[in-house]
Amino acid sequence: MTHRTRLCALALTALLTLTPTTAACAAGPGPAPGPTAAPAPSARATSPAELCTAIITKWARQLYEAHDSTYGDYQSMGLSNGQYTILRDILDAARAERGAGSEAAGRELIDRQARERCAERHQDGGPSGGPWA
């Protein structure tokens, strides 16, 4: 492999798109390189409702599985006051469901209600009144 060919291969690898620099490399000896791969799409951002659902589900499941009647400190959990209200409501309902049904029924309730309550909370773009609302 010649120095020019190696240089062209490095340029193609680094850029992943056809630019004037890499086009000049194609004019060198040997066959022209094929089409280059398009860059991978960037990761999709997590919506506020999805983030709310994830954090409330995480804490609700952890507290539910501990079989403890406490709720914990919302600030140490990284929850806003509104999210903490949702967490407490969901835990109360899940614990009642566990008493009337089963452990699995309580877990299903946590997942469903966290998704529904967070979607409702963020349906108009999110809560107002500061970061802890």
Side-chain angles (χ1 to χ4, degrees), residues 41-47 50:
S42 62
R44 182 180 67 81
T46 304
S47 74
E50 291 169 326

Side-chain angles (χ1 to χ4, degrees), residues 74-88:
Y74 78 97
Q75 290 177 328
S76 67
M77 294 175 181
L79 299 174
S80 70
N81 186 47
Q83 291 168 332
Y84 190 62
T85 299
I86 293 171
L87 172 72
R88 287 191 334 250

Side-chain angles (χ1 to χ4, degrees), residues 7-30:
L7 183 60
C8 289
L10 287 172
L12 283 170
T13 303
L15 297 177
L16 294 175
T17 59
L18 191 59
T19 64
T21 303
T22 56
C25 294

Side-chain angles (χ1 to χ4, degrees), residues 20-112:
T21 303
T22 56
C25 294
T36 58
S42 62
R44 182 180 67 81
T46 304
S47 74
E50 291 169 326
L51 184 57
C52 172
T53 301
I55 194 167
I56 288 174
T57 301
K58 177 221 183 285
W59 286 113
R61 281 181 167 245
Q62 183 174 329
L63 294 166
Y64 180 77
E65 299 299 331
H67 290 268
D68 190 358
S69 62
T70 63
Y71 299 103
D73 175 55
Y74 78 97
Q75 290 177 328
S76 67
M77 294 175 181
L79 299 174
S80 70
N81 186 47
Q83 291 168 332
Y84 190 62
T85 299
I86 293 171
L87 172 72
R88 287 191 334 250
D89 292 348
I90 289 172
L91 272 173
D92 288 345
R95 289 168 177 158
E97 186 70 24
R98 175 173 50 208
S102 68
E103 290 283 328
R107 282 190 291 275
E108 290 171 13
L109 184 141
I110 288 170
D111 294 344
R112 183 181 65 254

